Amino acid sequence: MFVTPAYAQAAAGGANAGAAFAQFIPLILIFAIMYFLMIRPQQKRVKQHREMVAALKKGDQVVTQGGIIGKVASVRDEELEVEIATGVRVRVVRGTVSQVLSATTPVAANG
């Protein structure tokens, strides 16, 4: 009337399934916290930067990631021509613009 170890382990397997799931709960919580504290805010910043770069137009005063401050002289597909001094223009890639200092507003037509 001895129970072999194989039968004893098989009988206890149903009780361990809940304990195994309970071990994954902290990992799930850590991932959720990381998502809301790190991943989601970074995605929002990337979206805001993409919208800012897409809205650049001639006359905007911008700062590049290299720290160059200038006024947008012309806008092309993936690059801008920025005037950093009178008569001095440099070409920069759109994605390197880190901040718009002053955006030009369209003038309302009087009439």
Side-chain angles (χ1 to χ4, degrees):
M1 297 300 297
F2 293 106
V3 178
T4 62
Y7 288 118
Q9 288 177 355
N16 283 343
F21 179 72
Q23 290 177 345
F24 286 112
I25 290 176
L27 291 173
I28 294 169
L29 288 175
I30 289 172
F31 179 76
I33 290 170
M34 293 290 283
Y35 176 78
F36 284 109
L37 291 180
M38 295 179 73
I39 297 170
R40 189 166 177 244
Q42 179 63 25
Q43 289 175 339
K44 289 175 82 174
R45 276 191 297 266
V46 167
K47 182 180 177 185
Q48 288 174 344
H49 182 262
R50 194 177 318 127
E51 290 171 354
M52 177 197 64
V53 168
L56 286 173
K57 57 193 169 300
K58 184 177 179 180
D60 291 348
Q61 189 171 6
V62 296
V63 178
T64 66
Q65 289 177 355
I68 298 173
I69 300 173
K71 185 179 271 190
V72 177
S74 69
V75 179
R76 296 189 189 104
D77 291 334
E78 289 300 316
E79 61 184 40
L80 306 169
E81 196 169 287
V82 179
E83 186 170 8
I84 57 176
T86 306
V88 179
R89 293 182 176 189
V90 293
R91 290 183 355 196
V92 297
V93 177
R94 275 184 177 247
T96 62
V97 173
S98 62
Q99 186 178 2
V100 176
L101 295 177
S102 62
T104 57
T105 55
V107 178
N110 293 333

